[in-house]
Amino acid sequence: MEPAEHFLPFRKNTVIALCAAALPDAERGPFTDFARLLAALVHHEFHERGEAALDAYQVVDPSEDERVLTPATAEQRAAARATVERELVALAEAADYTRIPADEMRRAFTEHALVKVRLEVDESEFETALFFRRGVSQRTERVPWLFGLRHRDLEFTSYAKVLVYIAFAEPEGGVLLKLFQNVPKNDLEMLYPTVRVRMRPLDKLLIGVPAAVSGIVVVATKLIASLGPVVLLLAFWAGLRDDPVRLDQAALITLGAGLAAFGGYLVRQFSKFKNRKLQLMKTLSEHLYFRNLDNDQGVLQHLLGAAEESEVKEAVLAYYFLLTAETPLTGAELDARVEEWFREQWAATFDFRIRDGLRRLRELDLLTADERGGLGVLPLAAARARLDRRWDRLFRRTIPAFPPVARQ
């Protein structure tokens, strides 16, 4: 069984609306204004953070439609790639993604859910491979069985989002970012960019057994009869036969027909092999096409938005439950209260990560603590005023005083 995720399956505005609806009428409007102001401050921070991450990614993987002033040096590319990797891991964690361990990726090469294709990857082609997932669910899909004669229901674990980061080895040295949706757990191996399709034992049997049977028939009925005179001639030349052998026109025609039949058999078997491989590659391509959600810089922007939403939700929930608590709460009590509320009221089970919400409230000077370590928050009016002052300071600029223009 998969462990509970940190991801809260509600949008930011939904969480704000749920909290506001549970407050008295007089406090709903002020709380909504407070939450929107908090969201605006978080958005401003993530905007600056995103610009730095996108600038680093532009050095590692320049866009073809955007010009650069000077080409990046090898040292600059290495520093930029380190920045991209560090920021990617931080954003994935902030967006409630979970790192997929290496042993789970290895199991995917031997276990298959929907894509019945054997795949191989040459890991020497890249230096770093990071996979993250979010949104675990159990799904059932009807799949063909017994060569399409029947169908059966297949149950499997599916990931709503899977993030892939690949850093290639030199001389390319580039990076690849992709985001997929609705990926079966046992089909994760198909997300490698350098994956190669290989024949499964079943595929080899489906091609090999009919090929062997038809090959025996061709050899027995076409080739042996036509090769008889040639074998006798070779035996005469080798001294194993005393009577000479003559190859007349009829024997040569028979020999040519036999060789043509055998050659046609080889061509047909090779075509069957190529067609089967193309069919497997088509199956893989179709699954990737319909699951591909975003690429390259778009993945970073997607992660920035998801991480921003997650931090806002955690901070709003932490503030709401501390505001409505009758007594100060510890971090563990607050965490348990949030999880219990969503489990009982909205049938949502997740592992709430309270530390990020408390960190955000502490950075905004909204969190209080008593002598026993119990946590509380500023009253709603004071909290709104503090956020309002912080927002004003973000855009306060000193306007130079220009001397008055002398009139002629």
Side-chain angles (χ1 to χ4, degrees), residues 53 55-60 75-85:
D55 287 343
Y57 192 84
Q58 175 70 6
V59 175
V60 177
E75 292 77 11
Q76 290 172 332
R77 287 177 59 84
R81 194 167 87 171
T83 300
V84 170
E85 291 185 12

Side-chain angles (χ1 to χ4, degrees), residues 59-108:
V59 175
V60 177
D61 187 17
S63 299
E64 295 182 358
D65 60 340
E66 294 178 349
R67 296 175 57 184
V68 295
L69 297 179
T70 56
T73 63
E75 292 77 11
Q76 290 172 332
R77 287 177 59 84
R81 194 167 87 171
T83 300
V84 170
E85 291 185 12
R86 182 176 63 252
E87 194 64 22
L88 179 77
V89 173
L91 287 174
E93 181 180 356
D96 298 322
Y97 280 78
T98 301
R99 178 83 173 268
I100 300 177
D103 59 341
E104 183 174 332
M105 296 301 302
R106 285 192 292 269
R107 284 198 303 271

Side-chain angles (χ1 to χ4, degrees), residues 238-253:
L240 301 177
R241 178 183 170 88
D242 296 331
D243 299 333
V245 179
R246 294 181 59 188
L247 292 178
D248 54 13
Q249 185 177 7
L252 292 176
I253 292 175

Side-chain angles (χ1 to χ4, degrees), residues 8-309:
L8 173 60
F10 291 94
R11 292 197 69 249
K12 169 187 64 181
N13 290 338
T14 302
V15 171
I16 294 173
L18 292 177
C19 294
L23 291 171
D25 293 343
E27 297 181 5
R28 291 177 184 173
F31 178 83
T32 301
D33 293 339
F34 160 82
R36 289 176 177 172
L37 192 53
L38 187 150
L41 289 167
V42 175
H43 176 74
H44 181 270
E45 175 187 320
F46 271 90
H47 173 73
E48 294 185 343
R49 184 176 177 181
E51 288 298 309
L54 291 172
D55 287 343
Y57 192 84
Q58 175 70 6
V59 175
V60 177
D61 187 17
S63 299
E64 295 182 358
D65 60 340
E66 294 178 349
R67 296 175 57 184
V68 295
L69 297 179
T70 56
T73 63
E75 292 77 11
Q76 290 172 332
R77 287 177 59 84
R81 194 167 87 171
T83 300
V84 170
E85 291 185 12
R86 182 176 63 252
E87 194 64 22
L88 179 77
V89 173
L91 287 174
E93 181 180 356
D96 298 322
Y97 280 78
T98 301
R99 178 83 173 268
I100 300 177
D103 59 341
E104 183 174 332
M105 296 301 302
R106 285 192 292 269
R107 284 198 303 271
F109 282 94
T110 57
E111 302 173 357
H112 303 283
L114 297 180
V115 184
K116 303 301 182 182
V117 178
R118 178 172 168 257
L119 303 174
E120 290 183 358
V121 171
D122 184 4
E123 296 185 357
S124 64
E125 296 181 354
F126 43 82
E127 293 181 358
T128 307
L130 303 177
F131 292 80
F132 301 85
R133 49 91 172 167
R134 193 181 80 175
V136 181
S137 63
Q138 297 297 319
R139 296 179 56 193
T140 302
E141 189 160 329
R142 198 163 186 80
V143 297
W145 187 44
L146 293 178
F147 306 101
L149 299 177
R150 301 187 63 182
H151 289 76
R152 63 176 178 176
D153 292 333
L154 178 65
E155 295 184 1
F156 58 93
T157 301
S158 178
Y159 297 148
K161 302 282 181 61
V162 176
L163 170 66
V164 179
Y165 171 81
I166 301 292
F168 292 97
E170 298 296 341
E172 292 84 358
V175 301
L176 180 141
L177 265 177
K178 284 187 174 293
L179 187 65
F180 297 92
Q181 61 181 347
N182 301 328
V183 180
K185 175 182 177 181
N186 293 338
D187 290 338
L188 286 169
E189 81 282 6
M190 70 178 179
L191 304 184
Y192 279 97
T194 57
V195 69
R196 297 177 178 86
V197 176
R198 295 290 184 264
M199 290 288 185
R200 298 175 298 161
L202 178 61
D203 298 317
K204 293 178 181 179
L205 287 175
L206 291 175
I207 296 176
V209 172
V213 173
S214 59
I216 293 173
V217 173
V218 170
V219 171
T221 60
K222 303 290 184 181
L223 199 57
I224 289 181
S226 61
L227 288 178
V230 177
V231 173
L232 294 176
L233 180 61
L234 292 175
F236 174 75
W237 286 347
L240 301 177
R241 178 183 170 88
D242 296 331
D243 299 333
V245 179
R246 294 181 59 188
L247 292 178
D248 54 13
Q249 185 177 7
L252 292 176
I253 292 175
T254 303
L255 176 61
L259 292 176
F262 187 70
Y265 159 78
L266 293 178
V267 171
R268 287 195 302 273
Q269 299 310 313
F270 181 75
S271 299
K272 289 181 181 179
F273 172 80
K274 295 294 291 183
N275 290 336
R276 181 62 179 172
K277 197 161 187 178
L278 288 173
Q279 182 181 1
L280 297 177
M281 294 178 66
K282 178 175 178 291
T283 300
L284 176 64
S285 300
E286 288 176 349
H287 278 77
L288 289 176
Y289 177 82
F290 290 107
R291 285 173 169 80
N292 189 23
L293 193 61
D294 218 332
N295 303 289
D296 303 326
Q297 294 187 15
V299 176
L300 277 178
Q301 293 169 342
H302 187 105
L303 273 182
L304 284 163
E308 177 188 325
E309 277 235 349

